[in-house]
Amino acid sequence: MGESTALTQSWSLGNPCQYVKLNVGGSLHYTTIGTLTKHDTMLRAMFSGRMEILTDSEGWVLIDRCGKHFGIILNFLRDGQVSLPENPKDVAELLAEAKYYCITELTDLCEQTIKRKQRETEPICRVPLITSLKEEQLLLNATAKPVVKLLINRHNNKYSYTSTSDDNLLKNIELFDKLALRFSGRLLFIKDVIGSSEICCWSFFGHGKKIAEVCCTSIVYATDKKHTKVEFPEARIYEETLNIILYEARNPPDQELYHDITNLEFHIKHQRVEFPEARIYEETLNIILYEARNPPDQELGHVDAGANLDEKIK
């Protein structure tokens, strides 16, 4: 005890340039009193006479902590900044040491880095896969978002498919993925892979209730046998997705809005104007993303709203 007290008194009155030998959990370090007392930390308290310290017979100051990241801590004390490890596990370990030594600035830096890395590793969107009506109902009850569900199960078919069915089945899946990437922040997308006897069917839910359904399969008759036909009603899917976004509000949307949209479609179609319906719905959905202050990420697959549209509508 006398040895540790003498050393404490010596360093509290000594030159800041005086070197100290540190043994931190078996990791050996040389540094100065000035570095250890530069910031208001536990190390300043230890080497300014406010705390007793332990030394061994060779004069090494013993600190009972893991020394793996102590070099980073010393560099931060010297410079006031430091490059953190790339591995999130190492950053978490460094955070624990920074908290122990009461280094506030380094603690804040580690916490900010951990949060940033968590955001970077999070997927752009999550699409739950459900296999039963019970799972579906649990998700509907747990979310305040409108819901878009795609039931997709190619093996439910009793008959052979028509020649275009597989291609259309894939198009439905691709459109679902595209919408999920674009609108996962506002809508909950669910994929049902086993749930019923349907093959391809879209369902749209608002306020916990089914608002619309788009079934993409039908039975067609050939001369000798029945076939299952899968269609890709792209415009209808876009329309219902656009409609379901209105259910973000607490109150259901005004039914007059649907009436106005229907009238507009009727007039355009009967004036013999080319009507790229699916494209119009798609771009209307895309422009809704600009309600936010920051524009949407262009990497998520958005096509320039004006590209080729003027050529199609004349």
Side-chain angles (χ1 to χ4, degrees):
M1 183 67 68
E3 184 181 5
S4 64
T5 303
L7 285 172
T8 300
Q9 291 174 347
S10 173
W11 283 331
S12 65
L13 301 174
N15 189 329
C17 295
Q18 178 182 347
Y19 269 84
V20 184
K21 300 188 298 182
L22 303 175
N23 183 340
V24 186
S27 178
L28 305 181
H29 300 270
Y30 286 95
T31 189
T32 63
I33 296 293
T35 295
L36 295 171
T37 58
K38 190 174 182 179
H39 300 269
D40 186 15
T41 68
M42 181 186 288
L43 292 167
R44 173 187 280 185
M46 291 174 62
F47 291 93
S48 60
R50 287 181 283 164
M51 295 177 62
E52 291 187 348
I53 56 177
L54 299 176
T55 62
D56 63 12
S57 59
E58 297 181 357
W60 290 90
V61 177
L62 304 177
I63 300 178
D64 187 20
R65 296 292 294 181
C66 176
K68 178 179 178 181
H69 303 294
F70 196 75
I72 297 177
I73 289 173
L74 288 179
N75 285 335
F76 184 84
L77 295 177
R78 293 179 182 115
D79 304 326
Q81 59 185 7
V82 72
S83 297
L84 298 186
E86 288 295 325
N87 191 324
K89 180 176 179 292
D90 289 337
V91 178
E93 293 173 353
L94 178 59
L95 172 61
E97 298 304 306
K99 287 182 176 179
Y100 175 80
Y101 294 112
C102 302
I103 309 174
T104 304
E105 296 85 352
L106 183 57
T107 297
D108 293 342
L109 179 61
C110 290
E111 289 177 341
Q112 292 169 8
T113 301
I114 289 172
K115 290 179 181 179
R116 176 176 56 79
K117 287 182 178 293
Q118 287 174 343
R119 290 194 299 268
E120 289 175 351
T121 56
E122 288 180 355
I124 295 174
C125 69
R126 292 184 175 91
V127 177
L129 291 178
I130 61 173
T131 59
S132 68
L133 186 61
K134 181 180 179 180
E135 293 176 358
E136 174 185 308
Q137 198 59 49
L138 287 173
L139 287 172
L140 291 175
N141 293 338
T143 185
K145 295 179 180 179
V147 176
V148 178
K149 184 188 79 168
L150 174 62
L151 186 154
I152 197 82
N153 191 348
R154 188 182 187 281
H155 301 293
N156 279 338
N157 186 31
K158 297 179 181 179
Y159 312 107
S160 60
Y161 284 104
T162 59
S163 59
T164 59
S165 290
D166 279 336
D167 187 46
N168 285 335
L169 197 65
L170 182 60
K171 287 180 179 178
N172 277 281
I173 295 172
E174 289 175 342
L175 179 56
F176 178 85
D177 292 343
K178 179 180 179 180
L179 291 173
L181 283 172
R182 295 292 290 166
F183 296 99
S184 60
R186 302 181 66 167
L187 305 175
L188 173 63
F189 290 84
I190 300 173
K191 189 173 287 186
D192 188 340
V193 293
I194 302 178
S196 76
S197 59
E198 293 287 349
I199 295 171
C200 182
C201 184
W202 296 72
S203 300
F204 302 85
F205 299 84
H207 301 164
K209 299 179 180 180
K210 183 183 288 188
I211 305 302
E213 183 176 274
V214 180
C215 185
C216 304
T217 55
S218 60
I219 302 298
V220 295
Y221 294 87
T223 55
D224 55 342
K225 57 183 177 179
K226 298 178 182 178
H227 295 279
T228 298
K229 181 180 180 181
V230 179
E231 298 178 302
F232 179 49
E234 185 179 13
R236 176 75 191 284
I237 295 166
Y238 275 123
E239 178 185 7
E240 297 302 342
T241 305
L242 179 60
N243 288 337
I244 208 66
I245 286 180
L246 298 175
Y247 283 82
E248 285 180 310
R250 181 169 298 178
N251 298 320
D254 189 345
Q255 294 300 314
E256 291 184 3
L257 179 61
Y258 296 126
H259 179 69
D260 292 341
I261 292 174
T262 302
N263 282 340
L264 178 61
E265 292 176 359
F266 177 83
H267 288 301
I268 293 176
K269 288 178 178 178
H270 285 75
Q271 288 175 10
R272 295 184 179 179
V273 177
E274 187 173 346
F275 182 45
E277 186 176 11
R279 180 65 189 281
I280 293 170
Y281 277 124
E282 178 183 6
E283 297 305 337
T284 303
L285 280 167
N286 286 334
I287 207 66
I288 285 177
L289 294 176
Y290 285 83
E291 287 179 319
R293 180 169 298 179
N294 298 320
D297 189 347
Q298 296 299 315
E299 293 182 358
L300 295 184
H302 172 54
V303 180
D304 181 7
N308 300 322
L309 193 57
D310 292 335
E311 297 177 8
K312 295 182 177 180
I313 304 177
K314 297 182 180 179

